Structure formats: structure tokens, C-alpha cells
Amino acid sequence: MTKLHLTDLLPAELSDYVTSLGEPKYRAGQIFAAIHGRRLTSFDEMTDLPRDLRAQLSDQTTISTLRLESRYLSSDGTRRYLFKTHDNLPVETVFIPEERRDTICFSSQSGCPLQCTFCLTAQLGLLRNLTSGEIVEQIICALNDAYGAGVETPRGTNLVGMGAGEPFLNFEALIKAVRIMKEPAGLHIVPNRITVSTAGVAPKIRELASTEDRPHLAISLAAPNDELRSELMPINKKWPIAELMAACKDFQASLKRGERFTFEYVMLSGVNDSDDHARQLAGLINRHGLRAKINLIPHNPAEPLPYQPSSLERVEAFRAILDAAGIDNFVRRPRGRDILAACGQLAARSDVGQPVLIPGQ
Ligand code: SF4
């Protein structure tokens, strides 16, 4: 792609570009608001800009780089989008409508270099890091698909960086995307409404602790001891649990009163869901004095992964042990399982069900 991707620019960068064309600064504000606030995807629609400027912009720059390849609609209303980048790599995004808010799960990489054994994305390997603009575009495309370009969204939007990829291996682009999205003239999704999940890149957890305008932190744990965790999440060999807990402790010290972070614990039947695992998990959190909440996520089965979700009874027994140890926990309800849109199921697959044309579009 040789054209400048305007969606990738912070307001100050856009301003530099616009003034380099000999245009007044305020034009940058108009363009930023058109791309991020009104979510317009073509220069023709920006009728508040002079015609020759629009022509120049469309000559030199681009707004949309992601091409929608297919979309899938779940029986629970969840939508999964499979996009292709300009260099033909898959990017997946999930839109989850809820009564009082929408949640969009975005990807930070195409594929993923980590080899978590319970996750289908791992099978793609790393294709490449996404740019900030490609991260922001996922949100714009999902909102436009749900509500139409230029239409105000009826509910607030929460974002979770839990799609394909390890966000902390693409840290700079991620944080820049967060800054672009928080702008009041743009999407205006503040960092407080964003949660980013890491498999445990300890140095970046520390870097996040000292980052201004940072999103909330979630850490995928999946096991309470090194032996099992290294088996399920090989990144544990690089940053074992003791190092991860030390980074969490440092992160905790940076939290404001009332703020917390989360551990995600995928529950794999017969693998990490015994009473003993629950006791080990509670011991780990309490021993390190962490005020974290634990999200229990029954595994979302996906061929050919060899796991099954823990039964409801098992999840309840596991919870009871965490409750008794005073650890706040929550069971995450799966969304979009039937279209491979749930946690751990993203692998750019188009062989599940039929792509669905969404009525009215
Ligand atoms: S769980 Fe996350 S970090 Fe692990 S392989 Fe899947 S996408 Fe990558």
C-alpha cells in the first residue's frame, strides 16, 4: 500500500499532513471528525471539504484498507467479520450486542505467534502485526455494519482486545490506536471502556503500568502452576508464573483506588478444572496479595482442538472454592459459539455455516 492511511494518524499527525498540502489546520479537524466521528469511508461524502482537496486526498491517501470478506450472524445476535488487509491477510472482529452496551472484540495481529494449545488462532502462526489504523478500522467497520455510516450509536461501545494476536507484542500500535479512539471528535471510546488481554508478556505489563491513558488489563492465566501452564501456554517458559505475578504486583501498585485487573481462566474439562486446581489458583492470588478478579471462561470447543468445556457443576464447584478463599470471580457466558466467534475460536475459518447477509444491508 503506497497511499497514506489517514485512519492511522493521530490528530497532530493529520494536522501536519494537511498543512503540508498548504491547507489551513482546521481542515485536519474536519477530516478527523469525518473519518472517526461520522465514520465516513469515502472522500466524496465529505461535502464540507472543497472539491479539489477531496480529489487531492483521494489521490494521495486512503481511509479504508480492510476489505470485508465475509460476515457471520450468530443465533444470539453476535456478528463475526472476516476482513482481508491490503496484503490479503485475515483480520477478524466480533460485534457483541447487549442490552445496555455493545462490545467489539478486535484483533491486534493477523494470526498469532504464541502457541496456546486451547486456541485455534495459534494454528495460523503470526502473519504480521496490524497497524493502529487497521485496529481502529475494525471498530469503524463493525459500527457501520451494525448502525450505518454516519449514524450515531444508540448505546455505549466497550472494546476488548481479545481477538487474534497477542496485543502486547504489538504494543506501540495498540496504544496509538487507543489514543486515536479516545478523541472526543472521533469515536470517543475512552481507555476506561477498553480491556486488553495478554498471555503474559511481563515486561509490557510493567510498561502498561506507567502508560498514560491506558486500557484495563486482563491476563490469560489458564493454569495455577508452571508445569501445566507451560504445557497450555508455552509463553510461560519465557515468563514463568513467579515473574508474571511480580509484574502483576507492580501493575497493581499503579492502580487507582477502586480499579482492578482481571485474570482470565479458560476451563478445560479434566485438564485445569479440579478442586485442587481451584485451591492452587486461590493460593497463588492470595499469596501474592493481588486484588484481581477471575473470569472463568468455559472452553469454546473448536475442531481439531482436543478440549471440552468444563461442565456447569464443575464450574460451580470451582467457583465455590474461589468464593471461600475470598476471590472475586465471574463466569463468562459464551457468545457466538455457533459461528466460531467465541474466545479462542478465531482462525479465519470460512467453513463454518454460511456467510449471512444481514437484513437491510
Ligand atoms: S490465546 Fe491469544 S495469545 Fe494465545 S494463541 Fe490464541 S490469540 Fe495468541
Side-chain angles (χ1 to χ4, degrees), residues 112 114-116 118-119 121-122 163-166 199:
C112 182
L114 304 186
Q115 294 291 313
C116 306
F118 48 82
C119 170
T121 314
E166 164 52 61

Side-chain angles (χ1 to χ4, degrees), residues 112-116 118-119 161-162 165-169 196-202 204-205 217-222 229 232-241 244 263-264:
C112 182
L114 304 186
Q115 294 291 313
C116 306
F118 48 82
C119 170
M162 299 182 184
E166 164 52 61
F168 284 5
L169 294 180
V196 174
S197 173
T198 177
V201 182
K204 293 296 176 189
I205 292 175
L217 172 68
I219 296 156
S220 178
L221 198 56
R229 192 163 193 270
L232 298 175
M233 303 181 75
I235 191 178
N236 192 66
K237 293 178 196 149
K238 186 153 188 191
W239 292 291
I241 288 181
L244 185 56
F263 285 111
E264 312 274 330

